[in-house]
Amino acid sequence: MNATRLVSGVLILCGSIACAGPGNGASAPQGEGPPLERMLIAPQVGKMGAPVEVRYSLPPQLAKDQPATLDLAFVPQAEGTNLRVEFPANEAASLGKGAEGMRVGKAQAASVHRLELGITPRQAATGEVRVLVSIDVGNARYAGLYSVPLGSRLSR
Amino acid sequence: MCYKPSHRNSCRECRVRDARIASGFRGVALAVGLVAIHSCGGGGGGGDGPDLAPTPAPNVALTGRIFYERVPLSATGRGLDYAAIVAEPARGVLVEAINTANGSVITTTSTLTTCAGDISCPGRYTLTVPANTSVQVRVRAEMVRAAPEPLPRWRFSVRDIDTSPTPFVYDSPAIQVGTSAVTSDVTIPSGWSNSGQSVGIRHAAPFAILDTVYRSYQFILAVEPNADFPALTLDWSSLNLGFDTFYTSELNGSNPRIVISGEVNVDTDEYDPHVVAHEFGHYIENQFSRSDSIGGPHSITQLLDPRVAFGEGFGYAFAAMVLNDPVARDSFGNRQGNDSFFSVEENAPAGAPRGWYGEASNWIILWDLFDSASDFDDVAFGFGPIWQVLRGSQRDTEALTTVFPFIRALKEQNAAFAAQIDAIVTRQSIASSVIDDYGTLEINDADEPHVLPIYTPIVLDGGPVTVTSINTFGTPNKLSNARFLRLNLPAARTVRFQITADPGRDADAYVYRRGAVVASGELLGNDDFSTALNAGTHIIEVYDCDNGGCGTGVAQASNITVTVSTN
């Protein structure tokens, strides 16, 4: 069944369904961190989002109250300025290093901007880290909220 | 309605009350009834004395205006401006007089919206209540005009569907009504201080949402005065997660609902009129016209499934039309101090693809057809001709609801302006001069081989046809994730569909007749199903499940072979 169109028998417009999979590939140097192509795409939540692809990589296993590193990569899909990354409060994990987010003055299309985020999962089996991204493109500003699911990696 | 105590055989007062109810003073009669019940049942043996009815308590007018506090948007890009909180009239909302002694509803009315030449009119209410009563004014987050009122009719209500089956309400402090008219204005607080600190419950939020709905349905009434709006629930809560605002309904269109974000420091949408009006646009398209959009995530740079591109483009253009403001804004972030923004008037937004698959191209076309600004277009249709197409041809098209049937019909219905329409549409790299519902002669292929034709012809018993589902532009609602085939049946008959995926892949299929799903194949791997179909054109949508959002594997280009045959 197509999850986009038939979610519990309802039609959803501007809905929050998304899925992992390769999007527009970035060709710029990737810098340090996991290879971009091996990172998962963070789904964007809800209404019109930011033209930024967000990828993430987590350790195979996470444990409650055990610190870990969430590798994030931000790939603008258009040339822009004022790329901002923030982390709204969440219940799934406490945030450490990198929690202050990131700001990039000029961001080329397909450039890769990385951030290591220290996380300590609080819950045993559920939750997500949310990433708020905005960018100015031309005369406009776009924003989107992305979700990095932790649940499936947490040991119970 | 008559309370008849068991120790009495008759109750003259009650008959009086019934007569009043029948005369239409239902709310007042109920209130009087409460007094009369006491008279009727109490007193203990009137004996044989004169059977005189007590003088009913006189009624008193309770009037005033209802305001709600709105937090306006600040300068572009700076989010909400708490220092500029303003009280605005709550137009067309339900107001009740509540008897504070027992919580009963004495009477109900709606606040006024506009009165010629009277700027103090919007938000005004008048309630008739019994004298010498303590009452509260209860404002319901609901706008209703229902039978037996003649058309138009509507019912729009704001509630938190997770916690309550009824709309939000705001109760005034108790008002002691004496024997003369009382005036009492009510201002519903925002729950925010002028410095942006939370100072209480956000009571005003549902009413701010309703005010945008008011503007939206009034916009529709201007072109369809007898509109009958299906009941719409606006689901708002301070616990609704940020960025998760959307319109939804059952697949048959029933139970329409708009969910609105309310998460502080991430995204609140109650004071973002463009966001609310955009979602109302989805409701309008779905309920009055037809939307075949599959929804899902989208952004300005993406090449979208054309159903999504038209639906989202319409939503943004509709909001701009309703609000007469081409700049869409959406506050977000810490203390709602930021906002996203773009203008539907901008003819070439940076990063936006031009074409039938771009949401920006769709909103630019719709806005330029509507607006009176003379930039590159020479038409200013207003909403009337757009609405005519949406209500007619777009709803009934045998193709899917994209820009193609919309423009084809608009040109037909406004033939004198065909050249001007072509100019607007062609600027968005869409072949307007040769347009038909299917984009048959479209040449914009997004530089990708598996995009055109938009609808691949397929013939009953005509052998297999192979199309390719791709993930070039992302998933799960992007261009050519799903491919469309067009089947014309000259007569009703049972038809067999065989959908064959590449080895190891999962292909699914839907068969549509005028946008309604009439059959589907959603098994893992290949599908083989038969169904009875009416005569006419049917659209077959096929997609690789990993490209279309239903798989758990890797998205990739995948061939899908379709065979349509008699059983």
Side-chain angles (χ1 to χ4, degrees):
Chain A
M1 192 176 92
N2 187 324
T4 306
R5 70 207 72 203
L6 292 171
V7 184
S8 302
V10 298
L11 165 73
I12 295 179
L13 300 173
C14 299
S16 59
I17 308 304
C19 59
N24 297 343
S27 57
Q30 298 182 11
E32 296 181 4
L36 206 59
E37 62 275 11
R38 296 180 64 178
M39 301 174 79
L40 296 172
I41 294 178
Q44 201 156 182
V45 174
K47 53 196 174 185
M48 178 195 272
V52 177
E53 187 174 271
V54 177
R55 291 182 176 248
Y56 69 94
S57 179
L58 281 165
Q61 283 286 312
L62 296 172
K64 183 182 176 186
D65 297 330
Q66 296 300 308
T69 297
L70 167 61
D71 287 296
L72 292 162
F74 303 89
V75 186
Q77 305 298 294
E79 181 180 344
T81 59
N82 195 26
L83 170 64
R84 295 176 62 173
V85 176
E86 302 167 71
F87 300 101
N90 72 91
E91 296 179 352
S94 57
L95 307 184
K97 175 189 168 191
E100 69 279 10
M102 180 171 70
R103 290 191 181 205
V104 178
K106 288 189 70 173
Q108 299 295 320
S111 58
V112 181
H113 307 271
R114 293 183 179 272
L115 179 66
E116 284 187 358
L117 179 66
I119 62 170
T120 303
R122 293 191 185 117
Q123 300 178 27
T126 61
E128 62 184 6
V129 171
R130 296 186 299 168
V131 187
L132 176 54
V133 179
S134 61
I135 187 171
D136 294 356
V137 177
N139 299 318
R141 175 174 298 162
Y142 305 102
L145 189 67
Y146 301 75
S147 170
V148 176
L150 303 181
S152 61
R153 296 165 186 270
L154 280 162
S155 54
R156 293 170 189 270
Chain B
M1 294 299 297
C2 179
Y3 176 72
K4 185 177 178 182
S6 59
H7 66 281
R8 289 197 56 158
N9 293 324
S10 65
C11 180
R12 184 172 168 183
E13 304 89 270
C14 291
R15 287 196 296 275
V16 172
R17 291 198 302 277
D18 283 349
R20 296 184 63 140
I21 291 168
S23 69
F25 295 90
R26 186 168 190 275
V28 175
L30 281 170
V32 174
L34 291 169
V35 176
I37 285 167
H38 178 75
S39 303
C40 196
D48 297 322
D51 191 9
L52 296 176
T55 303
N59 292 324
V60 172
L62 171 60
T63 65
R65 295 182 73 192
I66 308 295
F67 299 90
Y68 71 94
E69 288 186 341
R70 171 174 287 280
V71 187
L73 285 158
S74 186
T76 303
R78 295 190 176 179
L80 298 182
D81 186 355
Y82 290 96
I85 290 175
V86 60
E88 295 197 343
R91 298 177 285 187
V93 300
L94 290 185
V95 181
E96 298 170 335
I98 305 295
N99 188 323
T100 57
N102 56 20
S104 65
V105 177
I106 299 171
T107 185
T108 301
T109 189
S110 291
T111 58
L112 299 178
T113 53
T114 56
C115 313
D118 183 359
I119 60 170
S120 69
C121 169
R124 185 183 297 163
Y125 70 93
T126 301
L127 297 164
T128 303
V129 299
N132 302 316
T133 308
S134 176
V135 301
Q136 285 177 290
V137 174
R138 173 171 292 170
V139 192
R140 295 173 64 90
E142 192 167 26
M143 300 188 293
V144 178
R145 180 181 162 95
E149 290 289 328
L151 293 172
R153 299 189 187 114
W154 56 82
R155 181 179 293 274
F156 304 117
S157 55
V158 185
R159 64 186 176 99
D160 176 4
I161 67 163
D162 294 326
T163 61
S164 175
T166 57
F168 288 98
V169 297
Y170 179 76
D171 289 346
S172 75
I175 303 164
Q176 185 59 48
V177 175
T179 56
S180 56
V182 177
T183 298
S184 181
D185 291 347
V186 177
T187 299
I188 303 168
S190 66
W192 296 100
S193 72
N194 283 348
S195 60
Q197 301 293 322
S198 175
V199 293
I201 296 172
R202 289 148 64 192
H203 287 293
F207 299 94
I209 292 166
L210 278 185
D211 200 65
T212 300
V213 170
Y214 170 78
R215 298 175 71 174
S216 300
Y217 82 74
Q218 289 293 323
F219 186 77
I220 296 298
L221 289 178
V223 293
E224 186 159 334
N226 287 327
D228 191 1
F229 295 89
L232 173 67
T233 298
L234 299 114
D235 174 14
W236 176 89
S237 162
S238 61
L239 300 178
N240 282 1
L241 292 176
F243 286 83
D244 210 11
T245 290
F246 57 90
Y247 169 77
T248 183
S249 75
E250 305 295 335
L251 284 176
N252 64 5
S254 62
N255 296 325
R257 179 164 58 101
I258 293 172
V259 178
I260 299 173
S261 294
E263 186 179 9
V264 169
N265 293 328
V266 178
D267 179 30
T268 65
D269 282 340
E270 60 262 32
Y271 296 118
D272 292 334
H274 271 273
V275 174
V276 176
H278 171 99
E279 301 304 336
F280 194 88
H282 286 314
Y283 157 79
I284 286 296
E285 186 190 11
N286 179 231
Q287 299 291 324
F288 286 85
S289 179
R290 193 179 103 202
S291 173
D292 300 334
S293 176
I294 58 173
H298 56 100
S299 70
I300 184 74
T301 55
Q302 292 177 328
L303 286 73
L304 301 170
D305 181 296
R307 298 167 292 181
V308 179
F310 184 80
E312 295 304 329
F314 173 74
Y316 287 111
F318 178 80
M321 295 172 194
V322 166
L323 302 170
N324 194 29
D325 179 0
V327 180
R329 298 182 62 185
D330 181 2
S331 62
F332 69 92
N334 189 38
R335 294 193 177 191
Q336 296 63 248
N338 201 342
D339 63 85
S340 58
F341 54 86
F342 61 88
S343 174
V344 298
E345 176 72 286
E346 188 168 351
N347 283 292
R354 284 194 187 201
W356 43 278
Y357 40 72
E359 59 182 321
S361 284
N362 281 270
W363 75 53
I364 290 166
I365 289 169
L366 290 163
W367 175 256
D368 277 347
L369 290 168
F370 167 86
D371 81 331
S372 56
S374 179
D375 41 10
F376 296 98
D377 60 280
D378 295 325
V379 295
F381 280 133
F383 194 56
I386 293 172
W387 186 244
Q388 279 189 322
V389 173
L390 289 171
R391 290 288 273 147
S393 296
Q394 186 79 349
R395 185 183 57 192
D396 298 332
T397 181
E398 293 184 321
L400 298 169
T401 55
T402 68
V403 71
F404 294 106
F406 178 84
I407 294 299
R408 189 273 305 159
L410 189 75
K411 287 177 63 178
E412 278 185 8
Q413 293 174 23
N414 302 273
F417 294 95
Q420 289 91 332
I421 296 170
D422 281 345
I424 290 172
V425 178
T426 303
R427 280 183 60 81
Q428 297 305 319
S429 298
I430 299 171
S432 183
S433 63
V434 293
I435 205 163
D436 67 3
D437 283 19
Y438 302 93
T440 305
L441 298 178
E442 181 56 58
I443 58 173
N444 181 341
D445 64 357
D447 296 325
E448 158 60 48
H450 300 297
V451 167
L452 297 179
I454 301 168
Y455 297 86
T456 301
I458 190 167
V459 177
L460 186 67
D461 292 326
V465 173
T466 299
V467 293
T468 305
S469 166
I470 61 174
N471 67 322
T472 308
F473 306 110
T475 63
N477 59 348
K478 306 304 182 291
L479 181 61
S480 285
N481 292 156
R483 302 301 308 275
F484 309 120
L485 300 98
R486 179 181 172 189
L487 169 69
N488 185 50
L489 291 178
R493 64 172 309 121
T494 296
V495 176
R496 179 183 182 188
F497 294 86
Q498 292 168 280
I499 314 296
T500 306
D502 277 348
R505 307 297 293 182
D506 177 16
D508 284 351
Y510 286 96
V511 181
Y512 299 95
R513 173 68 178 151
R514 290 200 167 101
V517 177
V518 293
S520 63
E522 301 170 74
L523 298 177
L524 193 62
N526 301 331
D527 286 288
D528 187 343
F529 56 96
S530 297
T531 189
L533 298 178
N534 292 323
T537 297
H538 294 75
I539 303 301
I540 308 162
E541 175 191 8
V542 294
Y543 51 91
D544 181 286
C545 226
D546 288 320
N547 297 339
C550 49
T552 56
V554 177
Q556 65 180 57
S558 171
N559 292 322
I560 301 170
T561 298
V562 181
T563 303
V564 181
S565 58
T566 50
N567 248 335

